[in-house]
Amino acid sequence: MLDIDGVLHPGQSGTLIYLPLLETWLRAHPDVDVVISSNWRETHTLDELRNFFSIELRERVIGCTPVLPDCTRLDEILCVVREYGVTQWAALDDRVQEFPDTRRLVATEYLDGLTGESLHQLTRVMWAAP
């Protein structure tokens, strides 16, 4: 479950400078797909979001979480988890306040974005017991 601002770039810079770092991790983990949980899902189509990724990874961007009024981002993610019976997942996000339960959250810093340490934590969380 992927947020964009504060994860793939610092703040709302829109640069996607850390996307190559995430893509390297995704290539090393070919069984992992991406679901966009970012607010960007409200201003971009799924195809537009896929097109930010390298050609060989686009098909692994499989969807977006629903926008549920008056719900947390975790609620929106859990909707997808339940609907599709997902058992192994993690959320890359900078908005810790949107996660009342942080066991599956890999938190980034809004002004820093994704780091190598974030990806090490992502690996641990992805394959942690449910």
PDB file of all heavy atoms in Angstrom, residues 3-18 38 40 94-95 108-114:
ATOM      1  N   ASP A   3       1.761   5.263  -0.358  1.00  0.00           N
ATOM      2  CA  ASP A   3       1.519   6.701  -0.378  1.00  0.00           C
ATOM      3  C   ASP A   3       2.582   7.304  -1.295  1.00  0.00           C
ATOM      4  O   ASP A   3       3.594   6.653  -1.597  1.00  0.00           O
ATOM      5  CB  ASP A   3       1.633   7.254   1.046  1.00  0.00           C
ATOM      6  CG  ASP A   3       1.308   8.730   1.148  1.00  0.00           C
ATOM      7  OD1 ASP A   3       0.554   9.241   0.296  1.00  0.00           O
ATOM      8  OD2 ASP A   3       1.812   9.379   2.081  1.00  0.00           O
ATOM      9  N   ILE A   4       2.391   8.516  -1.742  1.00  0.00           N
ATOM     10  CA  ILE A   4       3.366   9.134  -2.657  1.00  0.00           C
ATOM     11  C   ILE A   4       4.055  10.330  -2.011  1.00  0.00           C
ATOM     12  O   ILE A   4       5.269  10.329  -1.834  1.00  0.00           O
ATOM     13  CB  ILE A   4       2.702   9.496  -4.005  1.00  0.00           C
ATOM     14  CG1 ILE A   4       2.258   8.197  -4.698  1.00  0.00           C
ATOM     15  CG2 ILE A   4       3.664  10.308  -4.879  1.00  0.00           C
ATOM     16  CD1 ILE A   4       1.504   8.377  -5.988  1.00  0.00           C
ATOM     17  N   ASP A   5       3.304  11.374  -1.632  1.00  0.00           N
ATOM     18  CA  ASP A   5       3.916  12.543  -0.999  1.00  0.00           C
ATOM     19  C   ASP A   5       4.532  12.129   0.333  1.00  0.00           C
ATOM     20  O   ASP A   5       3.893  11.463   1.150  1.00  0.00           O
ATOM     21  CB  ASP A   5       2.874  13.647  -0.758  1.00  0.00           C
ATOM     22  CG  ASP A   5       2.360  14.265  -2.053  1.00  0.00           C
ATOM     23  OD1 ASP A   5       3.138  14.359  -3.021  1.00  0.00           O
ATOM     24  OD2 ASP A   5       1.177  14.654  -2.092  1.00  0.00           O
ATOM     25  N   GLY A   6       5.771  12.511   0.556  1.00  0.00           N
ATOM     26  CA  GLY A   6       6.452  12.154   1.796  1.00  0.00           C
ATOM     27  C   GLY A   6       7.013  10.748   1.768  1.00  0.00           C
ATOM     28  O   GLY A   6       7.641  10.307   2.727  1.00  0.00           O
ATOM     29  N   VAL A   7       6.822  10.024   0.661  1.00  0.00           N
ATOM     30  CA  VAL A   7       7.391   8.684   0.499  1.00  0.00           C
ATOM     31  C   VAL A   7       8.267   8.656  -0.754  1.00  0.00           C
ATOM     32  O   VAL A   7       9.468   8.444  -0.667  1.00  0.00           O
ATOM     33  CB  VAL A   7       6.292   7.594   0.420  1.00  0.00           C
ATOM     34  CG1 VAL A   7       6.915   6.220   0.168  1.00  0.00           C
ATOM     35  CG2 VAL A   7       5.459   7.569   1.697  1.00  0.00           C
ATOM     36  N   LEU A   8       7.680   8.873  -1.914  1.00  0.00           N
ATOM     37  CA  LEU A   8       8.439   8.820  -3.166  1.00  0.00           C
ATOM     38  C   LEU A   8       9.177  10.120  -3.460  1.00  0.00           C
ATOM     39  O   LEU A   8       9.963  10.185  -4.405  1.00  0.00           O
ATOM     40  CB  LEU A   8       7.532   8.446  -4.340  1.00  0.00           C
ATOM     41  CG  LEU A   8       6.946   7.036  -4.284  1.00  0.00           C
ATOM     42  CD1 LEU A   8       6.148   6.739  -5.537  1.00  0.00           C
ATOM     43  CD2 LEU A   8       8.037   5.984  -4.072  1.00  0.00           C
ATOM     44  N   HIS A   9       8.926  11.135  -2.655  1.00  0.00           N
ATOM     45  CA  HIS A   9       9.672  12.393  -2.725  1.00  0.00           C
ATOM     46  C   HIS A   9       9.436  13.158  -1.424  1.00  0.00           C
ATOM     47  O   HIS A   9       8.479  12.889  -0.712  1.00  0.00           O
ATOM     48  CB  HIS A   9       9.264  13.251  -3.930  1.00  0.00           C
ATOM     49  CG  HIS A   9       7.783  13.418  -4.087  1.00  0.00           C
ATOM     50  ND1 HIS A   9       7.088  12.890  -5.140  1.00  0.00           N
ATOM     51  CD2 HIS A   9       6.854  14.034  -3.315  1.00  0.00           C
ATOM     52  CE1 HIS A   9       5.804  13.186  -5.023  1.00  0.00           C
ATOM     53  NE2 HIS A   9       5.634  13.880  -3.919  1.00  0.00           N
ATOM     54  N   PRO A  10      10.330  14.094  -1.103  1.00  0.00           N
ATOM     55  CA  PRO A  10      10.130  14.895   0.105  1.00  0.00           C
ATOM     56  C   PRO A  10       8.889  15.774  -0.023  1.00  0.00           C
ATOM     57  O   PRO A  10       8.669  16.410  -1.063  1.00  0.00           O
ATOM     58  CB  PRO A  10      11.388  15.759   0.179  1.00  0.00           C
ATOM     59  CG  PRO A  10      12.386  15.079  -0.695  1.00  0.00           C
ATOM     60  CD  PRO A  10      11.587  14.390  -1.765  1.00  0.00           C
ATOM     61  N   GLY A  11       8.094  15.794   1.024  1.00  0.00           N
ATOM     62  CA  GLY A  11       6.918  16.659   1.059  1.00  0.00           C
ATOM     63  C   GLY A  11       6.037  16.475  -0.149  1.00  0.00           C
ATOM     64  O   GLY A  11       5.744  15.354  -0.557  1.00  0.00           O
ATOM     65  N   GLN A  12       5.630  17.594  -0.726  1.00  0.00           N
ATOM     66  CA  GLN A  12       4.788  17.567  -1.912  1.00  0.00           C
ATOM     67  C   GLN A  12       5.553  18.078  -3.130  1.00  0.00           C
ATOM     68  O   GLN A  12       4.984  18.718  -4.010  1.00  0.00           O
ATOM     69  CB  GLN A  12       3.529  18.416  -1.677  1.00  0.00           C
ATOM     70  CG  GLN A  12       2.617  17.841  -0.626  1.00  0.00           C
ATOM     71  CD  GLN A  12       1.355  18.665  -0.445  1.00  0.00           C
ATOM     72  OE1 GLN A  12       1.334  19.867  -0.682  1.00  0.00           O
ATOM     73  NE2 GLN A  12       0.304  18.003  -0.016  1.00  0.00           N
ATOM     74  N   SER A  13       6.834  17.750  -3.199  1.00  0.00           N
ATOM     75  CA  SER A  13       7.682  18.278  -4.275  1.00  0.00           C
ATOM     76  C   SER A  13       7.285  17.748  -5.651  1.00  0.00           C
ATOM     77  O   SER A  13       7.597  18.377  -6.660  1.00  0.00           O
ATOM     78  CB  SER A  13       9.157  17.967  -3.995  1.00  0.00           C
ATOM     79  OG  SER A  13       9.386  16.568  -4.075  1.00  0.00           O
ATOM     80  N   GLY A  14       6.645  16.583  -5.697  1.00  0.00           N
ATOM     81  CA  GLY A  14       6.213  16.024  -6.969  1.00  0.00           C
ATOM     82  C   GLY A  14       7.332  15.471  -7.831  1.00  0.00           C
ATOM     83  O   GLY A  14       7.120  15.141  -8.996  1.00  0.00           O
ATOM     84  N   THR A  15       8.526  15.315  -7.272  1.00  0.00           N
ATOM     85  CA  THR A  15       9.687  14.911  -8.069  1.00  0.00           C
ATOM     86  C   THR A  15       9.814  13.401  -8.273  1.00  0.00           C
ATOM     87  O   THR A  15      10.516  12.974  -9.190  1.00  0.00           O
ATOM     88  CB  THR A  15      10.978  15.398  -7.396  1.00  0.00           C
ATOM     89  OG1 THR A  15      11.074  14.810  -6.098  1.00  0.00           O
ATOM     90  CG2 THR A  15      11.006  16.917  -7.295  1.00  0.00           C
ATOM     91  N   LEU A  16       9.196  12.609  -7.407  1.00  0.00           N
ATOM     92  CA  LEU A  16       9.290  11.135  -7.461  1.00  0.00           C
ATOM     93  C   LEU A  16      10.741  10.651  -7.439  1.00  0.00           C
ATOM     94  O   LEU A  16      11.072   9.600  -7.985  1.00  0.00           O
ATOM     95  CB  LEU A  16       8.557  10.574  -8.683  1.00  0.00           C
ATOM     96  CG  LEU A  16       7.067  10.905  -8.783  1.00  0.00           C
ATOM     97  CD1 LEU A  16       6.493  10.390 -10.092  1.00  0.00           C
ATOM     98  CD2 LEU A  16       6.277  10.362  -7.605  1.00  0.00           C
ATOM     99  N   ILE A  17      11.613  11.393  -6.762  1.00  0.00           N
ATOM    100  CA  ILE A  17      13.049  11.069  -6.796  1.00  0.00           C
ATOM    101  C   ILE A  17      13.382   9.731  -6.139  1.00  0.00           C
ATOM    102  O   ILE A  17      14.436   9.165  -6.427  1.00  0.00           O
ATOM    103  CB  ILE A  17      13.920  12.184  -6.184  1.00  0.00           C
ATOM    104  CG1 ILE A  17      13.587  12.421  -4.715  1.00  0.00           C
ATOM    105  CG2 ILE A  17      13.818  13.460  -6.986  1.00  0.00           C
ATOM    106  CD1 ILE A  17      14.573  13.347  -4.002  1.00  0.00           C
ATOM    107  N   TYR A  18      12.498   9.219  -5.270  1.00  0.00           N
ATOM    108  CA  TYR A  18      12.793   7.941  -4.623  1.00  0.00           C
ATOM    109  C   TYR A  18      12.089   6.769  -5.293  1.00  0.00           C
ATOM    110  O   TYR A  18      12.222   5.635  -4.847  1.00  0.00           O
ATOM    111  CB  TYR A  18      12.432   7.999  -3.139  1.00  0.00           C
ATOM    112  CG  TYR A  18      13.209   9.075  -2.412  1.00  0.00           C
ATOM    113  CD1 TYR A  18      12.558  10.051  -1.690  1.00  0.00           C
ATOM    114  CD2 TYR A  18      14.600   9.116  -2.473  1.00  0.00           C
ATOM    115  CE1 TYR A  18      13.270  11.059  -1.042  1.00  0.00           C
ATOM    116  CE2 TYR A  18      15.308  10.112  -1.833  1.00  0.00           C
ATOM    117  CZ  TYR A  18      14.637  11.075  -1.115  1.00  0.00           C
ATOM    118  OH  TYR A  18      15.347  12.062  -0.486  1.00  0.00           O
ATOM    119  N   SER A  38      -2.335   6.648  -1.762  1.00  0.00           N
ATOM    120  CA  SER A  38      -2.072   8.090  -1.734  1.00  0.00           C
ATOM    121  C   SER A  38      -3.285   8.906  -2.165  1.00  0.00           C
ATOM    122  O   SER A  38      -4.117   8.445  -2.949  1.00  0.00           O
ATOM    123  CB  SER A  38      -0.917   8.376  -2.691  1.00  0.00           C
ATOM    124  OG  SER A  38      -0.761   9.745  -2.922  1.00  0.00           O
ATOM    125  N   TRP A  40      -3.098  10.942  -4.301  1.00  0.00           N
ATOM    126  CA  TRP A  40      -2.923  11.062  -5.745  1.00  0.00           C
ATOM    127  C   TRP A  40      -3.967  10.222  -6.495  1.00  0.00           C
ATOM    128  O   TRP A  40      -4.264  10.504  -7.639  1.00  0.00           O
ATOM    129  CB  TRP A  40      -1.515  10.638  -6.150  1.00  0.00           C
ATOM    130  CG  TRP A  40      -0.445  11.652  -5.869  1.00  0.00           C
ATOM    131  CD1 TRP A  40      -0.309  12.420  -4.735  1.00  0.00           C
ATOM    132  CD2 TRP A  40       0.640  11.999  -6.707  1.00  0.00           C
ATOM    133  NE1 TRP A  40       0.799  13.212  -4.829  1.00  0.00           N
ATOM    134  CE2 TRP A  40       1.416  12.966  -6.033  1.00  0.00           C
ATOM    135  CE3 TRP A  40       1.062  11.581  -7.962  1.00  0.00           C
ATOM    136  CZ2 TRP A  40       2.555  13.526  -6.569  1.00  0.00           C
ATOM    137  CZ3 TRP A  40       2.207  12.125  -8.500  1.00  0.00           C
ATOM    138  CH2 TRP A  40       2.943  13.095  -7.817  1.00  0.00           C
ATOM    139  N   ASP A  94       3.721   8.370   5.208  1.00  0.00           N
ATOM    140  CA  ASP A  94       4.300   9.331   6.156  1.00  0.00           C
ATOM    141  C   ASP A  94       3.272   9.826   7.168  1.00  0.00           C
ATOM    142  O   ASP A  94       3.618  10.537   8.092  1.00  0.00           O
ATOM    143  CB  ASP A  94       4.900  10.527   5.406  1.00  0.00           C
ATOM    144  CG  ASP A  94       3.841  11.343   4.701  1.00  0.00           C
ATOM    145  OD1 ASP A  94       3.044  10.765   3.939  1.00  0.00           O
ATOM    146  OD2 ASP A  94       3.795  12.572   4.911  1.00  0.00           O
ATOM    147  N   ARG A  95       2.008   9.445   7.007  1.00  0.00           N
ATOM    148  CA  ARG A  95       0.937   9.981   7.858  1.00  0.00           C
ATOM    149  C   ARG A  95       0.580   8.988   8.964  1.00  0.00           C
ATOM    150  O   ARG A  95      -0.450   8.328   8.918  1.00  0.00           O
ATOM    151  CB  ARG A  95      -0.266  10.321   6.996  1.00  0.00           C
ATOM    152  CG  ARG A  95       0.060  11.419   5.992  1.00  0.00           C
ATOM    153  CD  ARG A  95      -1.025  11.658   5.009  1.00  0.00           C
ATOM    154  NE  ARG A  95      -2.232  12.137   5.682  1.00  0.00           N
ATOM    155  CZ  ARG A  95      -3.344  12.443   5.054  1.00  0.00           C
ATOM    156  NH1 ARG A  95      -3.429  12.303   3.734  1.00  0.00           N
ATOM    157  NH2 ARG A  95      -4.384  12.872   5.716  1.00  0.00           N
ATOM    158  N   THR A 108       7.554   6.861   6.924  1.00  0.00           N
ATOM    159  CA  THR A 108       8.630   7.713   6.426  1.00  0.00           C
ATOM    160  C   THR A 108       8.422   9.114   6.995  1.00  0.00           C
ATOM    161  O   THR A 108       7.343   9.435   7.481  1.00  0.00           O
ATOM    162  CB  THR A 108       8.627   7.769   4.882  1.00  0.00           C
ATOM    163  OG1 THR A 108       7.379   8.287   4.435  1.00  0.00           O
ATOM    164  CG2 THR A 108       8.867   6.387   4.280  1.00  0.00           C
ATOM    165  N   GLU A 109       9.452   9.918   6.907  1.00  0.00           N
ATOM    166  CA  GLU A 109       9.357  11.304   7.350  1.00  0.00           C
ATOM    167  C   GLU A 109       8.924  12.168   6.172  1.00  0.00           C
ATOM    168  O   GLU A 109       9.509  12.076   5.087  1.00  0.00           O
ATOM    169  CB  GLU A 109      10.700  11.800   7.895  1.00  0.00           C
ATOM    170  CG  GLU A 109      11.122  11.130   9.179  1.00  0.00           C
ATOM    171  CD  GLU A 109      10.193  11.448  10.342  1.00  0.00           C
ATOM    172  OE1 GLU A 109       9.655  12.582  10.394  1.00  0.00           O
ATOM    173  OE2 GLU A 109      10.009  10.569  11.189  1.00  0.00           O
ATOM    174  N   TYR A 110       7.919  12.998   6.379  1.00  0.00           N
ATOM    175  CA  TYR A 110       7.325  13.818   5.320  1.00  0.00           C
ATOM    176  C   TYR A 110       8.365  14.603   4.526  1.00  0.00           C
ATOM    177  O   TYR A 110       8.314  14.656   3.295  1.00  0.00           O
ATOM    178  CB  TYR A 110       6.289  14.766   5.937  1.00  0.00           C
ATOM    179  CG  TYR A 110       5.611  15.676   4.958  1.00  0.00           C
ATOM    180  CD1 TYR A 110       4.698  15.182   4.029  1.00  0.00           C
ATOM    181  CD2 TYR A 110       5.876  17.042   4.952  1.00  0.00           C
ATOM    182  CE1 TYR A 110       4.070  16.027   3.122  1.00  0.00           C
ATOM    183  CE2 TYR A 110       5.258  17.891   4.059  1.00  0.00           C
ATOM    184  CZ  TYR A 110       4.351  17.381   3.142  1.00  0.00           C
ATOM    185  OH  TYR A 110       3.736  18.215   2.253  1.00  0.00           O
ATOM    186  N   LEU A 111       9.319  15.202   5.203  1.00  0.00           N
ATOM    187  CA  LEU A 111      10.304  16.042   4.525  1.00  0.00           C
ATOM    188  C   LEU A 111      11.519  15.266   4.027  1.00  0.00           C
ATOM    189  O   LEU A 111      12.398  15.838   3.382  1.00  0.00           O
ATOM    190  CB  LEU A 111      10.744  17.194   5.421  1.00  0.00           C
ATOM    191  CG  LEU A 111       9.642  18.200   5.751  1.00  0.00           C
ATOM    192  CD1 LEU A 111      10.143  19.258   6.721  1.00  0.00           C
ATOM    193  CD2 LEU A 111       9.102  18.847   4.479  1.00  0.00           C
ATOM    194  N   ASP A 112      11.564  13.970   4.332  1.00  0.00           N
ATOM    195  CA  ASP A 112      12.699  13.139   3.901  1.00  0.00           C
ATOM    196  C   ASP A 112      12.302  12.136   2.821  1.00  0.00           C
ATOM    197  O   ASP A 112      13.003  11.963   1.841  1.00  0.00           O
ATOM    198  CB  ASP A 112      13.304  12.395   5.088  1.00  0.00           C
ATOM    199  CG  ASP A 112      13.921  13.335   6.099  1.00  0.00           C
ATOM    200  OD1 ASP A 112      14.406  14.407   5.701  1.00  0.00           O
ATOM    201  OD2 ASP A 112      13.910  12.995   7.293  1.00  0.00           O
ATOM    202  N   GLY A 113      11.212  11.424   3.032  1.00  0.00           N
ATOM    203  CA  GLY A 113      10.793  10.402   2.091  1.00  0.00           C
ATOM    204  C   GLY A 113      11.463   9.061   2.344  1.00  0.00           C
ATOM    205  O   GLY A 113      12.031   8.811   3.403  1.00  0.00           O
ATOM    206  N   LEU A 114      11.380   8.208   1.348  1.00  0.00           N
ATOM    207  CA  LEU A 114      11.860   6.832   1.420  1.00  0.00           C
ATOM    208  C   LEU A 114      13.365   6.777   1.603  1.00  0.00           C
ATOM    209  O   LEU A 114      14.115   7.545   0.989  1.00  0.00           O
ATOM    210  CB  LEU A 114      11.460   6.118   0.125  1.00  0.00           C
ATOM    211  CG  LEU A 114      11.630   4.615   0.065  1.00  0.00           C
ATOM    212  CD1 LEU A 114      10.697   3.930   1.066  1.00  0.00           C
ATOM    213  CD2 LEU A 114      11.315   4.124  -1.348  1.00  0.00           C
TER     214      LEU A 114
END
